[in-house]
Coordinates of all heavy atoms in Angstrom, one line a residue:
G1 N 0.8 -1.2 0.0 CA 0.0 0.0 0.0 C 0.8 1.3 0.0 O 2.1 1.2 0.0
G2 N 0.2 2.4 0.0 CA 0.9 3.7 0.0 C 1.5 4.1 1.3 O 2.3 5.0 1.3
I3 N 1.0 3.6 2.4 CA 1.4 4.1 3.7 C 3.0 4.0 3.8 O 3.6 4.9 4.2 CB 0.7 3.4 4.8 CG1 -0.8 3.7 4.8 CG2 1.3 3.8 6.2 CD1 -1.3 5.0 5.2
P4 N 3.6 2.8 3.6 CA 5.0 2.7 3.7 C 5.8 3.6 2.8 O 6.9 4.0 3.0 CB 5.3 1.2 3.4 CG 4.0 0.5 3.7 CD 3.0 1.5 3.3
D5 N 5.2 4.1 1.7 CA 5.8 5.0 0.8 C 5.8 6.4 1.4 O 6.7 7.2 1.1 CB 5.1 5.1 -0.6 CG 5.2 3.8 -1.4 OD1 6.2 3.1 -1.2 OD2 4.3 3.5 -2.1
L6 N 4.8 6.7 2.2 CA 4.7 8.0 2.8 C 5.4 8.1 4.1 O 6.0 9.2 4.5 CB 3.3 8.4 3.0 CG 2.4 8.5 1.7 CD1 1.0 8.7 2.1 CD2 2.9 9.7 0.9
I7 N 5.4 7.1 4.9 CA 6.0 7.1 6.3 C 7.3 6.3 6.3 O 7.3 5.2 5.9 CB 5.0 6.5 7.3 CG1 3.7 7.4 7.3 CG2 5.6 6.4 8.7 CD1 2.6 6.8 8.2
K8 N 8.3 7.0 6.8 CA 9.6 6.3 7.1 C 9.6 5.9 8.5 O 9.6 6.7 9.4 CB 10.7 7.2 6.7 CG 10.7 7.5 5.2 CD 11.9 8.3 4.8 CE 11.8 8.6 3.3 NZ 13.0 9.2 2.8
D9 N 9.6 4.6 8.8 CA 9.5 4.1 10.1 C 10.6 4.6 11.0 O 11.8 4.7 10.6 CB 9.6 2.5 10.1 CG 9.1 1.9 11.4 OD1 8.2 2.5 12.1 OD2 9.7 0.9 11.8
Q10 N 10.2 5.1 12.2 CA 11.1 5.6 13.2 C 11.7 7.0 12.8 O 12.4 7.6 13.6 CB 12.3 4.7 13.6 CG 11.8 3.3 14.1 CD 11.2 3.4 15.5 OE1 11.6 4.2 16.3 NE2 10.2 2.6 15.7
E11 N 11.3 7.5 11.6 CA 11.8 8.8 11.2 C 10.7 9.8 11.1 O 10.8 10.9 11.6 CB 12.5 8.7 9.8 CG 13.2 9.9 9.4 CD 13.9 9.7 8.1 OE1 14.5 8.7 7.8 OE2 13.8 10.6 7.2
T12 N 9.6 9.4 10.3 CA 8.5 10.3 10.2 C 7.2 9.7 10.8 O 6.1 10.3 10.7 CB 8.2 10.7 8.7 OG1 8.0 9.5 8.0 CG2 9.4 11.4 8.1
G13 N 7.3 8.6 11.4 CA 6.2 7.9 12.0 C 6.6 6.5 12.4 O 7.7 6.1 12.4
L14 N 5.6 5.8 12.9 CA 5.8 4.4 13.3 C 4.9 3.5 12.5 O 3.7 3.6 12.4 CB 5.5 4.2 14.8 CG 6.3 5.1 15.8 CD1 5.8 4.8 17.2 CD2 7.8 4.8 15.7
L15 N 5.5 2.5 11.8 CA 4.8 1.6 11.0 C 4.5 0.3 11.8 O 5.3 -0.1 12.6 CB 5.6 1.2 9.7 CG 5.8 2.3 8.7 CD1 6.7 1.8 7.6 CD2 4.5 2.8 8.2
T16 N 3.3 -0.2 11.6 CA 2.8 -1.4 12.3 C 2.4 -2.4 11.3 O 1.7 -2.1 10.3 CB 1.6 -1.1 13.2 OG1 2.0 0.0 14.1 CG2 1.1 -2.3 13.9
P17 N 2.9 -3.6 11.4 CA 2.5 -4.6 10.4 C 1.0 -4.9 10.4 O 0.4 -4.7 11.5 CB 3.3 -5.9 10.9 CG 4.4 -5.4 11.8 CD 3.9 -4.1 12.4
P18 N 0.5 -5.2 9.3 CA -1.0 -5.5 9.3 C -1.4 -6.6 10.2 O -0.6 -7.6 10.5 CB -1.2 -6.0 7.8 CG -0.1 -5.4 7.0 CD 1.1 -5.4 8.0
R19 N -2.5 -6.5 10.8 CA -3.1 -7.6 11.7 C -2.2 -7.9 12.9 O -2.0 -9.0 13.2 CB -3.4 -8.8 10.9 CG -4.6 -8.6 9.9 CD -4.8 -9.8 9.0 NE -3.8 -10.2 8.1 CZ -3.5 -9.6 7.0 NH1 -4.1 -8.6 6.6 NH2 -2.5 -10.0 6.2
N20 N -1.6 -6.9 13.4 CA -0.7 -7.0 14.6 C -1.2 -6.1 15.7 O -0.5 -5.0 15.9 CB 0.7 -6.8 14.2 CG 1.7 -7.2 15.2 OD1 1.4 -7.3 16.4 ND2 2.9 -7.6 14.8
P21 N -2.3 -6.4 16.4 CA -2.8 -5.4 17.4 C -1.8 -5.2 18.5 O -1.8 -4.1 19.1 CB -4.1 -6.1 17.9 CG -4.0 -7.5 17.4 CD -3.1 -7.6 16.2
E22 N -1.0 -6.2 18.9 CA 0.0 -6.0 19.9 C 1.0 -5.0 19.6 O 1.3 -4.1 20.4 CB 0.7 -7.4 20.3 CG -0.2 -8.4 20.9 CD -1.0 -9.2 19.8 OE1 -0.7 -9.1 18.6 OE2 -1.9 -10.0 20.2
K23 N 1.5 -5.0 18.4 CA 2.5 -4.0 17.9 C 1.9 -2.6 17.8 O 2.5 -1.6 18.2 CB 3.1 -4.4 16.6 CG 4.2 -3.5 16.1 CD 5.4 -3.4 17.0 CE 6.5 -2.5 16.4 NZ 7.6 -2.3 17.3
L24 N 0.6 -2.6 17.4 CA -0.1 -1.3 17.3 C -0.2 -0.7 18.7 O 0.0 0.5 18.9 CB -1.5 -1.5 16.6 CG -2.4 -0.3 16.5 CD1 -1.7 0.8 15.7 CD2 -3.7 -0.6 16.0
A25 N -0.6 -1.5 19.6 CA -0.8 -1.0 21.0 C 0.6 -0.6 21.5 O 0.7 0.5 22.2 CB -1.4 -2.1 21.9
E26 N 1.6 -1.3 21.2 CA 3.0 -0.9 21.7 C 3.4 0.4 21.1 O 3.9 1.3 21.8 CB 4.0 -2.0 21.2 CG 5.4 -1.8 21.6 CD 6.3 -2.8 21.0 OE1 6.0 -4.0 21.1 OE2 7.4 -2.5 20.5
N27 N 3.1 0.6 19.8 CA 3.5 1.9 19.2 C 2.6 3.1 19.7 O 3.2 4.1 20.0 CB 3.3 1.8 17.7 CG 4.4 1.0 17.0 OD1 5.4 0.8 17.6 ND2 4.2 0.7 15.7
I28 N 1.4 2.8 20.0 CA 0.5 3.9 20.6 C 1.1 4.3 21.9 O 1.2 5.5 22.3 CB -0.9 3.4 20.6 CG1 -1.5 3.3 19.2 CG2 -1.8 4.4 21.5 CD1 -2.9 2.7 19.1
L29 N 1.3 3.3 22.8 CA 1.9 3.6 24.1 C 3.2 4.2 24.0 O 3.5 5.1 24.8 CB 1.9 2.3 24.9 CG 0.6 1.7 25.4 CD1 0.8 0.4 26.0 CD2 -0.1 2.7 26.3
M30 N 4.1 3.8 23.1 CA 5.4 4.5 22.9 C 5.2 6.0 22.6 O 5.9 6.8 23.2 CB 6.2 3.8 21.8 CG 7.6 4.3 21.7 SD 8.6 3.6 20.4 CE 7.8 2.0 20.0
L31 N 4.3 6.3 21.7 CA 4.1 7.7 21.4 C 3.4 8.4 22.5 O 3.8 9.6 22.8 CB 3.2 7.8 20.1 CG 3.8 7.4 18.8 CD1 2.8 7.3 17.7 CD2 4.9 8.3 18.4
Y32 N 2.6 7.8 23.2 CA 1.9 8.4 24.4 C 2.9 8.8 25.5 O 2.9 9.9 26.1 CB 0.8 7.5 24.9 CG 0.1 8.1 26.1 CD1 -0.9 9.0 25.9 CD2 0.4 7.6 27.4 CE1 -1.6 9.6 27.0 CE2 -0.3 8.1 28.5 CZ -1.3 9.1 28.3 OH -1.9 9.6 29.4
N33 N 3.8 7.9 25.7 CA 4.8 8.0 26.8 C 6.1 8.8 26.5 O 6.8 9.3 27.4 CB 5.2 6.7 27.4 CG 4.0 6.0 28.1 OD1 3.3 6.6 28.8 ND2 3.8 4.7 27.8
D34 N 6.4 8.9 25.2 CA 7.7 9.5 24.8 C 7.5 10.8 24.0 O 7.3 10.8 22.8 CB 8.4 8.5 23.9 CG 9.9 8.9 23.7 OD1 10.2 10.1 23.8 OD2 10.7 8.0 23.4
I35 N 7.5 11.9 24.8 CA 7.2 13.2 24.2 C 8.3 13.6 23.2 O 8.0 14.1 22.1 CB 7.2 14.3 25.3 CG1 6.0 14.1 26.2 CG2 7.2 15.7 24.7 CD1 6.0 14.9 27.5
A36 N 9.6 13.2 23.5 CA 10.7 13.6 22.6 C 10.5 12.8 21.3 O 10.8 13.4 20.2 CB 12.0 13.2 23.2
L37 N 10.1 11.6 21.3 CA 9.9 10.8 20.1 C 8.7 11.4 19.3 O 8.9 11.6 18.1 CB 9.5 9.3 20.4 CG 9.2 8.5 19.2 CD1 10.4 8.4 18.2 CD2 8.8 7.1 19.7
R38 N 7.6 11.8 20.0 CA 6.5 12.4 19.2 C 7.0 13.7 18.6 O 6.6 13.9 17.4 CB 5.4 12.8 20.2 CG 4.5 11.7 20.6 CD 3.2 12.1 21.3 NE 3.3 13.2 22.2 CZ 3.3 13.1 23.5 NH1 3.3 11.9 24.1 NH2 3.4 14.2 24.3
E39 N 7.7 14.5 19.3 CA 8.2 15.8 18.7 C 9.2 15.5 17.5 O 9.1 16.2 16.5 CB 8.9 16.7 19.7 CG 7.9 17.2 20.8 CD 6.7 18.0 20.2 OE1 7.0 18.8 19.3 OE2 5.6 17.7 20.6
K40 N 10.0 14.5 17.6 CA 11.0 14.2 16.6 C 10.2 13.8 15.3 O 10.5 14.3 14.2 CB 11.9 13.1 17.0 CG 12.9 12.7 15.9 CD 13.7 11.5 16.4 CE 13.3 10.3 15.6 NZ 14.0 9.1 15.7
L41 N 9.3 12.8 15.5 CA 8.5 12.3 14.3 C 7.7 13.5 13.7 O 7.6 13.6 12.5 CB 7.6 11.2 14.8 CG 8.3 9.9 15.3 CD1 7.2 8.9 15.8 CD2 9.2 9.3 14.3
K42 N 7.1 14.3 14.5 CA 6.3 15.4 14.0 C 7.2 16.4 13.2 O 6.8 16.8 12.1 CB 5.6 16.1 15.2 CG 4.7 17.3 14.7 CD 3.9 17.8 15.9 CE 4.8 18.6 16.9 NZ 4.0 19.3 17.9
A43 N 8.3 16.7 13.7 CA 9.2 17.7 13.0 C 9.7 17.1 11.7 O 9.7 17.8 10.7 CB 10.4 18.1 13.9
N44 N 10.1 15.8 11.8 CA 10.6 15.2 10.5 C 9.5 15.0 9.5 O 9.7 15.3 8.3 CB 11.2 13.8 10.8 CG 12.5 13.8 11.6 OD1 13.1 14.9 11.6 ND2 12.8 12.8 12.2
A45 N 8.3 14.7 9.9 CA 7.2 14.6 9.0 C 6.8 15.9 8.4 O 6.6 16.0 7.2 CB 6.0 14.0 9.7
R46 N 6.8 17.0 9.2 CA 6.5 18.3 8.7 C 7.6 18.7 7.6 O 7.2 19.3 6.6 CB 6.5 19.3 9.8 CG 5.9 20.6 9.4 CD 5.5 21.5 10.6 NE 4.3 21.0 11.1 CZ 3.9 21.1 12.3 NH1 4.6 21.8 13.2 NH2 2.7 20.7 12.7
K47 N 8.9 18.5 7.9 CA 9.9 18.8 7.0 C 9.7 18.1 5.7 O 9.9 18.7 4.6 CB 11.3 18.4 7.6 CG 11.9 19.5 8.5 CD 13.4 19.1 8.8 CE 13.6 19.2 10.3 NZ 14.9 18.6 10.7
R48 N 9.5 16.8 5.8 CA 9.3 16.0 4.6 C 8.1 16.5 3.8 O 8.1 16.6 2.5 CB 9.2 14.5 4.9 CG 9.1 13.7 3.7 CD 9.3 12.2 4.0 NE 9.4 11.5 2.7 CZ 8.6 10.5 2.4 NH1 7.8 10.0 3.3 NH2 8.6 9.9 1.2
L49 N 7.0 16.8 4.5 CA 5.8 17.2 3.8 C 6.0 18.5 3.0 O 5.7 18.6 1.9 CB 4.7 17.5 4.9 CG 3.4 18.1 4.3 CD1 2.7 17.1 3.5 CD2 2.5 18.5 5.5
T50 N 6.7 19.5 3.7 CA 6.9 20.8 3.0 C 8.0 20.7 1.9 O 8.0 21.5 1.0 CB 7.3 21.9 4.0 OG1 8.5 21.5 4.7 CG2 6.2 22.1 5.0
A51 N 8.8 19.7 2.0 CA 9.9 19.5 0.9 C 9.4 18.7 -0.2 O 9.7 19.0 -1.4 CB 11.1 18.9 1.6
E52 N 8.7 17.6 0.0 CA 8.4 16.7 -1.0 C 6.9 16.7 -1.5 O 6.6 16.2 -2.6 CB 8.7 15.3 -0.5 CG 10.1 15.0 -0.2 CD 10.4 13.6 0.3 OE1 9.7 12.7 -0.2 OE2 11.3 13.5 1.1
F53 N 6.0 17.3 -0.8 CA 4.6 17.2 -1.1 C 4.0 18.5 -1.3 O 2.8 18.7 -0.9 CB 3.9 16.3 -0.1 CG 4.4 14.9 0.0 CD1 5.3 14.5 1.0 CD2 4.0 14.0 -0.9 CE1 5.7 13.2 1.0 CE2 4.4 12.7 -0.9 CZ 5.3 12.3 0.1
T54 N 4.7 19.4 -2.0 CA 4.1 20.7 -2.3 C 3.1 20.6 -3.4 O 3.1 19.6 -4.1 CB 5.2 21.7 -2.7 OG1 5.8 21.3 -3.9 CG2 6.3 21.9 -1.7
A55 N 2.3 21.5 -3.6 CA 1.3 21.5 -4.7 C 2.0 21.4 -6.0 O 1.6 20.6 -6.9 CB 0.4 22.7 -4.7
Q56 N 3.1 22.1 -6.2 CA 3.9 22.1 -7.4 C 4.5 20.7 -7.7 O 4.4 20.2 -8.8 CB 5.0 23.2 -7.4 CG 5.7 23.3 -8.8 CD 4.8 23.7 -9.9 OE1 4.1 24.6 -9.8 NE2 4.8 22.9 -11.0
T57 N 5.1 20.1 -6.7 CA 5.6 18.8 -6.8 C 4.6 17.8 -7.2 O 4.8 16.9 -8.1 CB 6.3 18.4 -5.5 OG1 7.3 19.3 -5.1 CG2 7.0 17.0 -5.6
M58 N 3.4 17.8 -6.6 CA 2.4 16.9 -6.9 C 1.9 17.1 -8.3 O 1.6 16.1 -9.0 CB 1.2 17.0 -5.8 CG 1.7 16.7 -4.4 SD 2.6 15.1 -4.2 CE 1.3 14.0 -4.4
A59 N 1.7 18.3 -8.7 CA 1.2 18.6 -10.1 C 2.3 18.1 -11.1 O 1.9 17.6 -12.1 CB 1.0 20.1 -10.2
D60 N 3.5 18.3 -10.8 CA 4.6 17.8 -11.7 C 4.5 16.3 -11.8 O 4.7 15.8 -12.9 CB 6.0 18.3 -11.2 CG 6.2 19.7 -11.3 OD1 5.4 20.4 -12.1 OD2 7.2 20.2 -10.7
Q61 N 4.3 15.6 -10.7 CA 4.3 14.2 -10.8 C 3.1 13.7 -11.5 O 3.1 12.7 -12.3 CB 4.3 13.6 -9.3 CG 5.6 13.8 -8.7 CD 5.6 13.2 -7.2 OE1 4.7 12.7 -6.7 NE2 6.8 13.4 -6.6
I62 N 1.9 14.3 -11.3 CA 0.7 13.9 -12.1 C 0.9 14.2 -13.5 O 0.5 13.4 -14.4 CB -0.5 14.7 -11.5 CG1 -0.8 14.1 -10.1 CG2 -1.7 14.5 -12.4 CD1 -1.8 15.0 -9.3
S63 N 1.5 15.3 -13.9 CA 1.8 15.6 -15.3 C 2.7 14.6 -15.9 O 2.4 14.2 -17.1 CB 2.5 17.0 -15.3 OG 2.8 17.4 -16.7
M64 N 3.7 14.1 -15.2 CA 4.6 13.1 -15.8 C 3.8 11.8 -16.0 O 4.0 11.1 -17.1 CB 5.7 12.8 -14.8 CG 6.8 13.9 -14.8 SD 8.3 13.6 -13.8 CE 8.0 12.1 -12.9
V65 N 2.9 11.4 -15.2 CA 2.1 10.2 -15.4 C 1.2 10.4 -16.6 O 1.2 9.5 -17.5 CB 1.2 10.0 -14.1 CG1 0.1 8.9 -14.5 CG2 2.0 9.6 -12.9
Y66 N 0.6 11.6 -16.8 CA -0.2 11.8 -18.0 C 0.6 11.7 -19.3 O 0.2 11.2 -20.3 CB -0.9 13.1 -17.9 CG -2.2 13.1 -17.0 CD1 -2.3 14.0 -16.0 CD2 -3.2 12.2 -17.2 CE1 -3.4 14.0 -15.2 CE2 -4.3 12.1 -16.4 CZ -4.4 13.0 -15.4 OH -5.5 13.0 -14.6
K67 N 1.8 12.3 -19.2 CA 2.7 12.3 -20.4 C 3.1 10.9 -20.7 O 3.1 10.5 -21.9 CB 4.0 13.2 -20.1 CG 3.7 14.7 -20.2 CD 4.9 15.5 -19.8 CE 4.6 16.9 -19.8 NZ 5.7 17.8 -19.4
K68 N 3.4 10.1 -19.8 CA 3.8 8.7 -20.0 C 2.6 7.9 -20.6 O 2.8 7.1 -21.5 CB 4.2 8.0 -18.7 CG 5.6 8.4 -18.3 CD 6.0 7.7 -17.0 CE 7.4 8.1 -16.5 NZ 7.8 7.5 -15.3
L69 N 1.4 8.2 -20.1 CA 0.2 7.5 -20.6 C -0.1 7.9 -22.1 O -0.5 7.1 -22.9 CB -1.0 7.8 -19.8 CG -1.0 7.2 -18.4 CD1 -2.2 7.7 -17.6 CD2 -1.1 5.7 -18.5
M70 N 0.2 9.2 -22.4 CA -0.1 9.7 -23.7 C 0.9 9.1 -24.7 O 0.6 8.9 -25.9 CB 0.0 11.2 -23.8 CG -1.1 11.9 -23.0 SD -2.8 11.5 -23.5 CE -2.8 12.3 -25.1
Q71 N 2.1 8.8 -24.3 CA 3.2 8.3 -25.1 C 2.9 6.8 -25.5 O 3.3 6.3 -26.5 CB 4.6 8.3 -24.5 CG 5.1 9.7 -24.4 CD 6.4 9.8 -23.5 OE1 6.8 8.8 -22.9 NE2 7.0 11.0 -23.5
K72 N 2.1 6.1 -24.7 CA 1.7 4.7 -24.9 C 0.7 4.6 -26.0 O 0.5 3.5 -26.5 CB 1.3 4.1 -23.7 CG 2.4 3.9 -22.7 CD 1.9 3.1 -21.5 CE 3.1 3.0 -20.5 NZ 2.8 2.1 -19.4
K73 N 0.0 5.6 -26.4 CA -1.0 5.5 -27.5 C -0.4 5.4 -28.8 O 0.6 5.7 -29.2 CB -1.9 6.8 -27.4 CG -2.8 6.7 -26.2 CD -3.9 7.8 -26.3 CE -4.9 7.6 -25.3 NZ -6.0 8.4 -25.4

């Protein structure tokens, strides 16, 4: 899925394997109890968002997809 493409584990968030409620609970408690970790993940995610997911960047990527599709005709 797209989530692992967006979130870098331990850098911009915490990934949990599918159907693993124990790990999900562990990650939730870790974030709840570790203020420094929450702040680090939040800051890193915000940096990545503003650097990689601007409106212009997304428009450029969509444009590239359309151009590739048009070349296949």
Side-chain angles (χ1 to χ4, degrees):
I3 300 285
D5 294 331
L6 296 173
I7 297 174
K8 295 183 180 187
D9 194 34
Q10 300 291 324
E11 186 179 322
T12 59
L14 300 176
L15 293 176
T16 302
R19 295 177 294 283
N20 190 335
E22 293 84 11
K23 182 66 175 172
L24 178 59
E26 180 184 314
N27 283 346
I28 291 170
L29 288 172
M30 187 182 338
L31 288 172
Y32 179 78
N33 292 316
D34 192 336
I35 295 169
L37 176 62
R38 282 197 318 260
E39 293 302 316
K40 177 187 110 174
L41 297 176
K42 180 172 72 172
N44 289 343
R46 190 167 284 158
K47 275 189 229 173
R48 184 162 186 237
L49 174 70
T50 58
E52 296 180 34
F53 297 99
T54 65
Q56 185 62 53
T57 303
M58 300 308 290
D60 291 345
Q61 290 178 1
I62 291 169
S63 179
M64 284 184 356
V65 169
Y66 282 126
K67 286 177 184 175
K68 286 180 183 178
L69 289 172
M70 295 300 289
Q71 290 173 353
K72 290 184 179 187
K73 285 189 172 191

